[in-house]
Amino acid sequence: MPTPSRTHRPDPLTLEVVELIGDVVARFYADYEEAAGEHALTGPQARLLSLLSLEPLPMRKLAQRLKCEPSNVTGIVDRLESRGLVERRPDPADRRVKVAAATEEGRRVARDLREGLHFAREPLAGLSEEERRSLRDLLRRMLDD
């Protein structure tokens, strides 16, 4: 006869770490929304622009990365395109597919957004290089599941 599964309750340290991660995420998003607002962008518009500043992407891949529906991405791209921050172009690998790409102005705005994130920058500056590397490595391990 199989034994009934027991609910595993996290230990107090794990609960505290989870709570701290939540606090960090909330503060990061608040800072990100503020930085986006300084450029008259919504949070989703700023996140999409930041992704496109790294590389052109098809709408479907953008939707996957932003965890939203492709129709939402289309609307966001439309608004950014009307401001000259994004353009649509044929995918060089498959001309039937359109990719969205940041314009030069879009890349500049994305760079300004990254530089305007105080929370992401200031507390990390208080850590030594070794501490930042350790934090980076631990976060990577957490995400590599």
Side-chain angles (χ1 to χ4, degrees):
M1 181 171 189
T3 55
S5 65
R6 287 183 260 151
T7 303
H8 176 68
R9 296 186 74 73
D11 62 275
L13 177 58
T14 299
L15 289 173
E16 183 181 6
V17 169
V18 168
E19 191 70 26
L20 288 168
I21 289 171
D23 291 346
V24 166
V25 168
R27 288 183 61 190
F28 176 80
Y29 272 112
D31 193 34
Y32 202 86
E33 293 287 333
E34 185 178 324
E38 290 174 10
H39 295 278
L41 297 170
T42 65
Q45 288 172 340
R47 285 188 286 283
L48 188 141
L49 185 59
S50 292
L51 285 172
L52 293 179
S53 73
L54 302 174
E55 64 178 324
L57 292 167
M59 301 293 192
R60 190 166 307 284
K61 190 165 279 198
L62 278 168
Q64 289 169 346
R65 294 215 183 145
L66 293 172
K67 297 183 179 13
C68 67
E69 293 297 317
S71 59
N72 291 346
V73 169
T74 299
I76 296 169
V77 169
D78 287 346
R79 286 185 286 285
L80 292 174
E81 190 174 36
S82 72
R83 291 185 53 189
L85 301 174
V86 167
E87 63 186 8
R88 289 176 171 91
R89 51 173 97 136
D91 185 338
D94 183 350
R95 304 214 27 102
R96 296 170 296 173
V97 175
K98 292 280 188 189
V99 296
T103 62
E104 186 60 41
E105 176 66 7
R107 286 189 293 280
R108 185 195 63 74
V109 169
R111 187 174 46 254
D112 289 350
L113 275 167
R114 281 190 296 277
E115 291 171 2
L117 295 174
H118 304 291
F119 177 71
R121 186 177 56 231
E122 291 168 4
L124 291 174
L127 300 176
S128 70
E129 185 173 344
E130 182 180 338
E131 289 171 323
R132 289 192 311 272
R133 277 198 180 106
S134 293
L135 178 59
R136 177 202 61 199
D137 294 344
L138 290 169
L139 291 170
R140 283 181 176 168
R141 275 181 51 197
M142 288 180 69
L143 294 171
D144 281 343
D145 48 346

